[in-house]
Amino acid sequence: MSVTTTAAPTWAPMTSEQREQFDTDGYLILRGVLSPDEVAHYSSALDAAYAQQPHAPDGSLHLLSAVTSCPDLAGLIDHPETFPLVWSILGWNVHIYHSHLDVHPPLAAPKPDWWHWHQDGGRQNRELETDPRPRLSVKLAYWLSDVSQTGRGNLTLIPGSHKTNWLPGPPKRDVPWPTPDGARQVQVDAGDVVFFDRRIWHARSDNHSDITRKCVFLGYTYRWIAVRDEVRALPGKPWWNRLNPVQQQLLGGVGGLDGDHAWGHYPETTPLYNELRERGLLDPNYPPLIP
């Protein structure tokens, strides 16, 4: 099984304009990130995963631990056009804590209008007491199908809602409820990427088109936050050593179970820190704990 890796000859940090828009809206749309060949490669990888995995009753596939489940997606995790946005926001002590690939064929029948609106983070949204909640993580959504029109299973979100802790919703998720005010279906082409703050209120819309919706979602957070993905066995896989050191860090393969390492006590053995240092891209806002 082949694994695509990226040499990333150049990395460009987030611009001030991007940072301002991200802080205001809670998301960015990056147009034309993946070439047609890359779209075809990763789309084929999702097709293979879809053929091998059990589907939901509606024929859809929501498969967690994206790279563990589909190693051919490894090239996306540090893609040179998107990964700089991650470390521009979170710094160098990061890993992927939650990821999934989604394949949603056209719906054969209408579905109940149930409430699927949420912020990422699970228990974080019950147990953190600040208002607004801290960002903690960001997510990249790589689109491998054309959702340039609504009704194709588009990511639906409310711009600017990342600083709002609660939405007025139903007493139970299975109670039909109107779409929140200000919601919009994000319209993007295959090869586009949506970068978003985990706190933005979002949901998946239903696919009523004749196109199969395909997307890969990669969530990044600080290494002192536990990983949800199944990654512990990855260093024993035959393709693991073909990953670059930064990819290995992102998939939990640096520092082992050393809590101090995850806390960022050893930048000199943290691949992303060294990579940014060598490129002259270390942000003084994310210094080592001990200079």
Side-chain angles (χ1 to χ4, degrees):
M1 180 176 292
S2 64
V3 176
T4 301
T5 60
T6 53
T10 59
W11 280 353
M14 174 181 275
T15 66
S16 57
E17 292 79 11
Q18 286 176 320
R19 190 177 294 274
E20 181 178 0
Q21 182 182 349
F22 189 70
D23 185 61
T24 300
D25 296 337
Y27 73 102
L28 297 172
I29 297 176
L30 310 172
R31 302 287 184 182
V33 167
L34 300 181
S35 69
D37 286 346
E38 286 178 301
V39 171
H41 170 76
Y42 293 118
S43 180
S44 176
L46 261 63
D47 289 344
Y50 185 81
Q52 296 167 4
Q53 298 289 335
H55 310 150
D58 64 0
S60 64
L61 176 65
H62 175 70
L63 188 59
L64 301 178
S65 306
V67 173
T68 301
S69 301
C70 186
D72 283 337
L73 300 178
L76 295 177
I77 68 178
D78 63 341
H79 195 287
E81 299 297 324
T82 57
F83 184 51
L85 298 178
V86 174
W87 51 256
S88 291
I89 292 294
L90 298 180
W92 51 267
N93 193 41
V94 295
H95 59 189
I96 293 173
Y97 79 111
H98 171 49
S99 62
H100 51 95
L101 59 90
D102 288 2
V103 180
H104 287 85
L107 287 172
K111 295 179 67 177
D113 189 19
W114 288 356
W115 183 266
H116 294 292
W117 288 88
H118 66 284
Q119 294 175 309
D120 287 344
R123 296 300 308 177
Q124 293 172 353
N125 300 315
R126 297 289 187 270
E127 295 163 0
L128 294 177
E129 51 196 31
T130 60
D131 188 1
R133 298 184 180 102
R135 178 184 289 130
L136 292 181
S137 68
V138 294
K139 212 167 196 179
L140 290 168
Y142 289 89
W143 290 92
L144 304 175
S145 59
D146 180 355
V147 290
S148 59
Q149 299 179 30
T150 60
R152 294 182 173 179
N154 308 60
L155 173 66
T156 306
L157 49 75
I158 305 172
S161 63
H162 56 303
K163 297 181 181 179
T164 301
N165 278 7
W166 299 101
L167 285 185
K172 294 175 59 181
R173 177 169 285 189
D174 60 355
V175 174
W177 205 261
T179 299
D181 292 340
R184 58 161 294 191
Q185 292 191 28
V186 179
Q187 296 171 251
V188 292
D189 294 315
D192 292 347
V193 176
V194 182
F195 177 63
F196 60 99
D197 187 314
R198 72 150 190 107
R199 300 169 296 176
I200 199 166
W201 287 90
H202 60 284
R204 175 180 51 81
S205 62
D206 290 334
N207 183 8
H208 298 294
S209 72
D210 57 359
I211 293 174
T212 295
R213 173 200 194 256
K214 300 179 187 178
C215 194
V216 178
F217 291 84
L218 302 172
Y220 301 77
T221 193
Y222 304 106
R223 292 172 64 225
W224 39 265
I225 293 177
V227 175
R228 181 184 181 187
D229 282 4
E230 296 293 336
V231 295
R232 287 194 179 186
L234 292 187
K237 299 293 184 182
W239 47 267
W240 176 257
N241 288 330
R242 297 201 295 271
L243 300 179
N244 65 52
V246 170
Q247 290 174 331
Q248 292 180 354
Q249 172 184 326
L250 296 177
L251 293 175
V254 171
L257 299 177
D258 184 340
D260 277 352
H261 205 288
W263 273 37
H265 281 286
Y266 304 106
E268 69 280 359
T269 55
T270 304
L272 183 54
Y273 178 89
N274 289 323
E275 189 72 26
L276 293 173
R277 181 180 59 186
E278 291 172 7
R279 294 170 182 263
L281 293 171
L282 278 177
D283 188 334
N285 292 315
Y286 301 100
L289 293 173
I290 301 175

